[in-house]
Amino acid sequence: MSEWLTEFGMFVAQLLTLVVIGVLAVTVILRVRGETGERTRLRLDELNGTRRNRRRRMQLAASQPGARKRLAKAFRRDDKEHDRRGRKGEGEVLSTVWVLDFHGDIKASGTGQLAEEVSAVLAVAGREDEVVIRLESAGGLVHGYGLAAAELDRLREAGLSTTVCVDKVAASGGYLMACAADQLRAAPFAVIGSIGVVAQLPNLHRLLKRHDVDVEMLTAGRYKRTLTVFGENTEEGREKFREDLETTHELFKRHVAERRPGLDIEAVATGEIWYGSDAVSRGLVDALGTSEAYLVERMQQARVISLKLEHKQKLGDRLGMAVSRGVEHGVERGLEMLDAGRWQKR
């Protein structure tokens, strides 16, 4: 018996060794392919077909059991007729609505991806096509959002009709981008506006002075540094800093006024925000409505295609993210159990 167990153990050890070698080989191959292959892929989703399939599933679920077969046959006939018309070239040629998404952080770090997606659309879009940008951003760095707005301006300069839909927020730099559209739509409680500029930084000079710490800062150029964190700020430096803020604000106002000429820019460029319904009355937004409602409406006359540039992740990155999600889920589950335990009777 002991001899049999020894042989079986050796067999299991050899099998595990082969499995480990196989996994390592696959990992090396995938890593090599990932490093030499294209690092991005373009994902295209036709939203018309997705919505049609969902509607059919809902119709089947809501129908009586005896009518489901007839309904399924009717769907198949419709599909065959649609395919037949397509093969024969019958029917009106639909225009295309290209849908892009931009969710901005403080650095507008998605601008590079947005630029490539805009280039992809410009390469194929026809004169009758439309571009819809679902935009969400509370703003951030001036230069980051200035570049993002310039990427959207490329659509306008190419003569393409553009619509920006804001479901939650387009404020400050987000509105700088949004106003590039021919049509700007917002949900009733979306946050709009904040046409202003803000900057702040702490100053530790008095704390350092109290502890006899000197800070030496050497500059070439009168205004190379206006306000500092560690040095003593002067009134001249503060005044220059305020002038720079006003200059940036004027550029912001000019940008918006050029793209929305009917807007009373002085009345709205106060740094305030408004909700969607009030933003319409002030001319900041053209119409109320959610992005989903607008796209469903456009599906009646056009093909609606969502376009997204996805970055492929390396195997190590995917494994790391999987482990991270697992740990996070475990911690969340543990906290939920602890919280639930507070209400259990003992």
Side-chain angles (χ1 to χ4, degrees):
M1 184 68 178
S2 60
E3 184 179 350
W4 181 85
L5 288 174
T6 302
E7 292 179 356
F8 181 74
M10 291 294 294
F11 170 75
V12 172
Q14 291 172 356
L15 181 62
L16 289 174
T17 302
L18 290 174
V19 170
V20 170
I21 292 174
V23 170
L24 289 174
V26 171
T27 302
V28 171
I29 292 172
L30 290 176
R31 182 178 293 275
V32 171
R33 290 182 60 186
E35 290 176 355
T36 58
E38 187 179 1
R39 297 300 304 153
T40 59
R41 66 175 180 178
L42 193 61
R43 177 176 175 178
L44 300 171
D45 294 321
E46 185 174 355
L47 302 185
N48 304 63
T50 301
R51 181 169 179 270
R52 181 177 64 250
N53 292 336
R54 289 176 180 171
R55 183 176 66 246
R56 288 180 174 182
R57 290 180 63 188
M58 295 294 291
Q59 288 175 324
L60 287 170
S63 63
Q64 296 298 323
R68 289 177 184 173
K69 278 191 175 181
R70 295 193 298 272
L71 194 57
K73 287 182 180 179
F75 292 156
R76 287 194 289 271
R77 286 197 301 269
D78 290 344
D79 290 338
K80 289 180 180 179
E81 181 64 20
H82 182 271
D83 292 341
R84 185 188 65 80
R85 289 199 303 268
R87 286 193 298 270
K88 290 187 175 182
E90 298 177 4
E92 182 182 357
V93 177
L94 298 179
S95 60
T96 302
V97 174
W98 303 95
V99 182
L100 308 180
D101 289 288
F102 185 87
H103 296 270
D105 55 17
I106 193 169
K107 297 187 293 184
S109 55
T111 302
Q113 178 176 321
L114 176 66
E116 293 186 61
E117 291 170 351
V118 168
S119 295
V121 170
L122 291 177
V124 298
R127 301 293 295 181
E128 301 301 319
D129 290 354
E130 177 186 2
V131 182
V132 174
I133 301 98
R134 293 183 290 201
L135 190 151
E136 303 295 340
S137 176
L141 298 178
V142 173
H143 56 277
Y145 277 92
L147 178 58
E151 295 297 346
L152 292 188
D153 278 341
R154 293 170 59 199
L155 298 169
R156 173 195 291 262
E157 293 163 2
L160 286 177
S161 173
T162 58
T163 300
V164 165
C165 294
V166 181
D167 290 327
K168 295 179 181 178
V169 57
S172 194
Y175 190 75
L176 184 78
M177 294 178 64
C179 68
D182 298 309
Q183 181 184 196
L184 178 50
R185 303 173 63 89
F189 284 90
V191 176
I192 304 295
S194 189
I195 304 175
V197 185
V198 63
Q200 61 182 347
L201 74 163
N203 183 261
L204 305 178
H205 174 69
R206 286 184 294 177
L207 175 64
L208 297 176
K209 186 176 180 180
R210 191 180 308 134
H211 293 278
D212 296 324
V213 178
D214 293 328
V215 176
E216 298 290 341
M217 182 176 64
L218 306 178
T219 62
R222 182 178 180 184
Y223 295 120
K224 179 61 180 177
R225 187 67 71 235
T226 53
L227 298 183
T228 73
V229 175
F230 300 110
E232 182 177 6
N233 291 321
T234 65
E235 192 56 42
E236 180 185 19
R238 294 188 185 93
E239 184 60 31
K240 176 58 179 172
F241 199 86
R242 281 191 287 265
E243 288 179 10
D244 293 340
L245 289 181
E246 289 295 336
T247 299
T248 305
H249 192 206
E250 288 299 322
L251 290 173
F252 193 170
K253 288 162 43 177
R254 189 188 312 164
H255 178 93
V256 175
E258 288 174 354
R259 287 151 184 79
R260 299 189 68 83
L263 186 64
D264 185 353
I265 190 63
E266 295 301 332
V268 297
T270 58
E272 297 173 81
I273 59 98
W274 292 273
Y275 292 111
S277 52
D278 289 336
V280 171
S281 64
R282 287 173 168 79
L284 290 160
V285 171
D286 298 306
L288 286 180
T290 67
S291 61
E292 178 68 13
Y294 182 69
L295 291 178
V296 169
E297 176 187 331
R298 295 295 291 122
M299 286 179 199
Q300 308 304 315
Q301 304 93 19
R303 296 174 63 218
V304 179
I305 299 177
S306 172
L307 180 151
K308 185 176 183 181
L309 193 69
E310 296 181 337
H311 295 273
K312 295 181 182 179
Q313 292 181 326
K314 295 181 180 179
L315 179 62
D317 295 335
R318 292 199 298 270
L319 291 175
M321 289 185 65
V323 172
S324 176
R325 285 195 295 267
V327 172
E328 183 179 352
H329 177 73
V331 172
E332 290 178 353
R333 181 61 178 161
L335 291 174
E336 289 175 1
M337 293 176 66
L338 287 173
D339 189 60
R342 295 167 50 200
W343 307 102
Q344 294 177 356
K345 293 182 179 179
R346 290 180 171 82

